[in-house]
Amino acid sequence: MSDVDGPGPEVFGSSGGRILPVGKTVTVEVPASSANLGPGFDALGVALGLYDTITVTVIEAGLQLEVSGEGAGEVPEDASHLVAKAVEAGLRAGGVGAPGVRIACRNAIPHSRGLGSSASAAVGGLVAANGLMDGALSTDHLVQLASEFEGHPDNAAASVLGGVVVSWTERSGDGVRYRAVRMEVDPSIVATVLVPSETSSTAQTRGLLPASVPHEDAAFNASRAALMSVALASHPEHLLAATEDRLHQSYRAPALVGTTEWVARLRDRGLAATVSGAGPTVLVLGTGALPADLRELAERQGWTVLDLGIADGARVVDAG
C-alpha cells in the first residue's frame, strides 16, 4: 500500500463542484480485451472474460493505492498510476470532487501481452468514478474518455461496451471524437488465448508498420473485415477466412517469432488464430475447444492457455 498526501479536494476531480462524502465506495469489474481480430486493424475489438477488480473508496485526504496480482511491484503505486489518473479524470468530467481516495486494484489481466491491460485500467478507473457519481457519465462519454487515454478506441470501447465492437475516429476542427458500436455475436463463438511468458511493447511493434501499403492489400483487408462482421454475427464457419490479414501481422512477425509460429500452426489446423492486439498473445475464435494435442504442446512450451467467454463491459459489482 502506498500513501500519498495531498492538499484536499483539489487532488481528485473538480474542486468547484459537489464533494463526495467520506466513506462512499464502489467496486467494479473490467474485462480484458483483444484488438484487431486479424483484419480490423485499430477498428475491431472484443471483450474477454478475464477481469481486473478495482475498489475505490473516498477518504479524508490524499491517495492510498494498492496493487495485487498482475503488475504488483512493477507498476507505480502513486498518482501516476493509470487507474488513479482515470478516477480523477472521471470525477473531473462529472464536475465532482473527492477529498481523497483509496484505490485497491486486484489484477488478473496480464500486462504487456496484447490483452488490453492499459485500456482496462483506464476504463476501470472511469467506471469506478462514474459509480461514485451514481452514473453521471453516459456510455459514449466513457468511451471517449477511455480512448483519450489510449489514443485509439478499439480496446477501450470493448472494455466499456463488451462483446465485439466496431470503432472509429472522427477528426474535425473541434478535436478528435472516438466512436464505437457493439455488434451482435453468434452465441456459439468462444475465445481461447495462448499467453506467453514474455512481454511485448505496443509502441515497438507499431513502429514496425510501414507508412503505406499496396492498394491490393488494403482491398484484401477491407473484404476480410466486412466478412468478419458476417462471420461473427451468424456464420462462424467463415471465421478462418475472415481473420486473414495483410496490414499488420506480417510486418510485426520479426518481433513476434513464437507468436507468428503459433498463429501459422493453428491456422494450418483450420483454426481462426490471430495476433491479439500488438501481441505476443495469440487469440483463437471458434465454436469449440482447442484440440488437446495443441493445448498440451503449447503448455509444454510455457504458454498459458485460457478458455474465455466473450464478456460484457465493465460494471459496478458493489457500491456503498
Side-chain angles (χ1 to χ4, degrees):
M1 171 82 72
S2 175
D3 295 273
V4 180
D5 292 330
E10 294 80 13
V11 175
F12 282 90
S14 171
S15 59
R18 175 169 66 94
I19 302 300
L20 293 170
V22 172
K24 190 171 180 64
T25 186
V26 65
T27 297
V28 304
E29 285 185 345
V30 55
S33 61
S34 180
N36 305 327
L37 313 189
F41 181 68
D42 279 2
L44 294 177
V46 59
L48 300 172
L50 183 65
Y51 302 91
D52 285 351
T53 303
I54 298 167
T55 298
V56 180
T57 304
V58 180
I59 60 175
E60 292 182 353
L63 167 67
Q64 298 174 5
L65 199 149
E66 179 180 11
V67 178
S68 58
E70 296 286 341
E74 301 172 1
V75 298
E77 292 191 358
D78 56 29
S80 67
H81 191 283
L82 186 51
V83 172
K85 290 182 176 181
V87 170
E88 184 173 17
L91 293 177
R92 189 184 307 115
V96 172
V101 295
R102 178 187 302 116
I103 301 172
C105 303
R106 298 185 297 279
N107 298 336
I109 303 171
H111 288 198
S112 301
R113 301 295 206 291
L115 288 171
S117 61
S118 61
S120 297
V123 170
L126 290 166
V127 171
N130 202 34
L132 290 173
M133 299 184 297
D134 301 317
L137 304 178
S138 69
T139 299
D140 286 345
H141 203 168
L142 291 171
V143 169
Q144 177 68 27
L145 292 171
S147 300
E148 288 174 0
F149 276 100
E150 287 285 282
H152 46 86
D154 44 8
N155 288 99
S159 284
V160 173
L161 299 175
V164 174
V165 299
V166 181
S167 62
W168 67 100
T169 302
E170 298 174 351
R171 302 181 188 276
S172 67
D174 296 329
V176 179
R177 187 176 182 187
Y178 299 105
R179 305 290 299 277
V181 292
R182 176 172 173 166
M183 63 176 291
E184 294 300 317
V185 178
D186 188 303
S188 68
I189 295 175
V190 295
T192 301
V193 293
L194 284 68
V195 186
S197 58
E198 67 267 16
T199 61
S200 176
S201 163
T202 299
Q204 178 187 12
T205 56
R206 187 172 283 265
L208 297 173
L209 302 180
S212 62
V213 297
H215 187 277
E216 180 182 358
D217 289 349
F220 179 94
N221 266 57
S223 71
R224 296 311 191 271
L227 177 60
M228 190 64 165
S229 296
V230 176
L232 287 168
S234 57
H235 289 279
E237 69 271 17
H238 295 307
L239 280 170
L240 182 62
T243 48
E244 291 179 311
D245 161 71
R246 292 185 184 176
L247 286 189
H248 64 102
Q249 292 183 124
S250 62
Y251 298 106
R252 288 169 161 165
L256 300 169
V257 176
T259 300
T260 302
E261 290 176 350
W262 265 101
V263 168
R265 179 180 290 119
L266 291 162
R267 295 187 69 83
D268 285 345
R269 291 281 293 271
L271 300 169
T274 69
V275 178
S276 180
T281 291
V282 176
L283 170 71
V284 185
L285 295 172
T287 57
L290 197 69
D293 63 318
L294 292 174
R295 179 185 296 270
E296 291 168 4
L297 176 60
E299 291 174 346
R300 285 201 307 271
Q301 292 182 356
W303 295 70
T304 299
V305 181
L306 301 174
D307 298 309
L308 304 175
I310 295 178
D312 285 329
R315 64 189 183 98
V316 174
V317 296
D318 192 21

